[in-house]
Amino acid sequence: MTEWREFKLGDICTIIQYGYTESATFDPVGPKFLRITDIVPNIIDWSTVPYCKIDKENYEKYKLDVGDIVIARTGATTGYNKRIKDSINAVFASYLIRFKINKEIADDCFISYVLKSDSYFGFIDNAVGGSAQPGINARVLSQFSFLLPPLPEQKAIADVLSSLDDKIDLLTRQNETLEDLAQAYFRKWFIEDASDKWEEIPLGQLFVISSGKGLKKEKFTEHGQYRVLGANGEIGKTNEYLFNERLIYTGRVGTLGNVFIVDREPVWLSDNTLVFRNIKYFFFVYFSLKWANLADYNVGSTQPLIRQSDIKEIRVFMPDKERLDSFENLANSIFAKINSNQKQIQLLQKLRDTLLPKLISGEIRVKM
């Protein structure tokens, strides 16, 4: 390994830059506006990323390019990062720092895996310390040091790890297609073919609803056993869980409108969420909540907020039991495939996470 050399992150970058300050909006008034909350899940879901207004000069300054790496600089997810994989019309927000890699020295894909390593997050933990409001700046991040092999070996290592991530991405997109199929059946059976003979009831008759619970920042850990879920999906990991059952949740405060399923997985749901349990006609409720466009129930003044009482009073038309049972059976079969794919995803993630430290340290070498 004599050809492996130690570098600092700042040594291999051509640009290190804080993001753009502006308010996000879901009205398409400009480019996508990438925020910290958008880079925490495993994959950036560009369909949920908001927009922002920006003039031409600032757009050119803050436009994201393929290969850029953005790192969260504040909050419980300080240090979380993502490499931009897609060519998309987007800029990045001020709580992110952009690192543009010098491609003559380093492979940006390889560096993105270095920034997922235990050594990197150990560096972040040491830098943040026990501060009440975690945060880090570009100067400190630039001091993170690591071993860098020759460029061809960097690319070979990145190819091995990215091949696993590509399989994960493929299965994730397949799951999205399957859910779209189930939603199409729901729309056909319960919206387009609805009958005026069906009974109208408040949706709250079909579930028990409660809020999630706050988790202290010291309970967050990058390599925790369980996911911490917030209003927009995963926001971190922890070694404690709050629920271990099949349930539905959505955002209570902050980001509103997204609806998620947890299928008997130990998780912690934050106090920014509403949790639906003991559900009668599980998938009918799930797609009814998605169809209701929960963001329209916002009653917040300083920040978006949904009340449990308003959600329970959403009106739905209940068809006959035979139709409901048929839909539940159909949706169960579709989501069984989704869950099977999810188990494959978890196995691939475990394999990737096992190989990653061994490859980027040179413990396992890649033939070229």
Side-chain angles (χ1 to χ4, degrees):
M1 285 183 55
T2 55
E3 68 273 26
W4 288 52
R5 296 171 53 201
E6 186 171 344
F7 283 83
K8 293 180 179 178
L9 182 59
D11 298 335
I12 61 165
C13 294
T14 58
I15 294 175
I16 300 173
Q17 177 187 17
Y18 292 94
Y20 180 58
T21 301
E22 182 54 85
S23 298
T25 174
F26 284 95
D27 294 327
V29 295
K32 291 284 187 175
F33 193 41
L34 192 70
R35 309 154 301 167
I36 288 179
T37 188
D38 302 313
I39 72 166
V40 173
N42 290 327
I43 298 172
I44 296 174
D45 182 357
W46 288 105
S47 67
T48 66
V49 177
Y51 303 87
C52 73
K53 293 181 179 179
I54 190 169
D55 59 41
K56 183 177 180 181
E57 181 180 354
N58 279 315
Y59 174 74
E60 293 299 327
K61 182 178 179 180
Y62 295 104
K63 183 182 184 302
L64 286 167
D65 298 313
V66 173
D68 287 350
I69 294 173
V70 289
I71 302 179
R73 67 180 180 91
T74 188
T77 52
T78 295
Y80 277 51
N81 58 87
K82 281 290 183 295
R83 171 179 170 266
I84 304 303
K85 296 181 179 181
D86 305 304
S87 180
I88 193 161
N89 182 23
V91 296
F92 61 107
S94 57
Y95 288 123
L96 294 172
I97 307 174
R98 188 237 303 265
F99 290 79
K100 192 176 285 290
I101 305 302
N102 184 342
K103 298 183 187 301
E104 294 182 1
I105 301 174
D107 178 73
D108 52 77
C109 188
F110 175 84
I111 298 302
S112 72
Y113 287 112
V114 172
L115 299 181
K116 291 180 174 65
S117 66
D118 287 341
S119 61
Y120 168 73
F121 280 101
F123 171 86
I124 295 295
D125 289 343
N126 289 334
V128 170
S131 58
Q133 177 60 31
I136 201 166
N137 59 40
R139 179 185 58 80
V140 174
L141 280 168
S142 296
Q143 296 304 305
F144 171 62
S145 62
F146 51 91
L147 290 174
L148 197 63
L151 193 54
E153 190 167 358
Q154 292 179 48
K155 292 180 178 180
I157 291 170
D159 284 347
V160 171
L161 294 170
S162 61
S163 68
L164 294 172
D165 274 333
D166 288 345
K167 292 176 183 177
I168 292 169
D169 289 353
L170 180 63
L171 289 168
T172 300
R173 296 182 196 284
Q174 186 180 105
N175 279 356
E176 292 170 354
T177 301
L178 287 167
E179 180 160 340
D180 287 344
L181 176 63
Q183 185 161 358
Y185 279 112
F186 172 84
R187 183 173 62 251
K188 174 65 176 173
W189 289 12
F190 302 114
I191 306 299
E192 296 174 5
D193 293 346
S195 169
D196 55 11
K197 296 180 181 180
W198 293 355
E199 179 186 5
E200 185 180 16
I201 67 166
L203 193 58
Q205 289 187 9
L206 302 178
F207 52 73
V208 174
I209 186 172
S210 62
S211 297
K213 186 177 178 181
L215 183 67
K216 294 180 179 178
K217 65 179 180 61
E218 60 265 24
K219 297 291 186 179
F220 282 86
T221 173
E222 170 65 14
H223 298 292
Q225 299 180 67
Y226 312 117
R227 295 190 296 157
V228 182
L229 303 174
N232 199 34
E234 184 175 329
I235 59 173
K237 295 287 183 66
T238 185
N239 286 318
E240 300 181 13
Y241 66 87
L242 199 58
F243 300 99
N244 187 13
E245 61 192 272
R246 189 168 73 160
L247 54 81
I248 296 167
Y249 76 95
T250 189
R252 181 184 70 85
V253 63
T255 302
L256 306 181
N258 294 320
V259 185
F260 304 91
I261 290 175
V262 176
D263 192 9
R264 299 179 182 89
E265 171 195 353
V267 295
W268 190 284
L269 283 157
S270 82
D271 54 357
N272 285 344
T273 64
L274 291 174
V275 186
F276 303 82
R277 306 166 67 197
N278 302 330
I279 301 166
K280 187 176 183 181
Y281 300 117
F282 186 91
F283 290 106
F284 176 79
V285 169
Y286 173 65
F287 286 111
S288 293
L289 289 169
K290 290 175 74 73
W291 188 262
N293 193 14
L294 298 181
D296 290 344
Y297 291 82
N298 173 33
V299 294
S301 55
T302 58
Q303 63 177 330
L305 173 70
I306 292 180
R307 296 182 298 210
Q308 295 183 28
S309 57
D310 291 337
I311 301 303
K312 289 192 288 187
E313 289 303 315
I314 292 173
R315 311 298 289 186
V316 294
F317 290 94
M318 288 290 288
D320 57 88
K321 184 177 183 299
E322 181 179 0
R323 180 178 291 237
L324 283 165
D325 287 341
S326 294
F327 178 72
E328 290 298 307
N329 290 333
L330 175 63
N332 267 311
S333 66
I334 292 173
F335 277 81
K337 176 58 177 172
I338 291 175
N339 293 335
S340 175
N341 285 349
Q342 190 58 41
K343 289 178 181 177
Q344 291 185 59
I345 289 170
Q346 291 168 354
L347 288 173
L348 290 167
Q349 289 172 335
K350 185 176 181 179
L351 175 59
R352 178 202 60 201
D353 293 345
T354 299
L355 286 175
L356 191 153
K358 298 179 185 296
L359 287 169
I360 66 170
S361 67
E363 181 180 342
I364 294 178
R365 305 296 293 272
V366 177
K367 292 183 178 179
M368 293 178 288

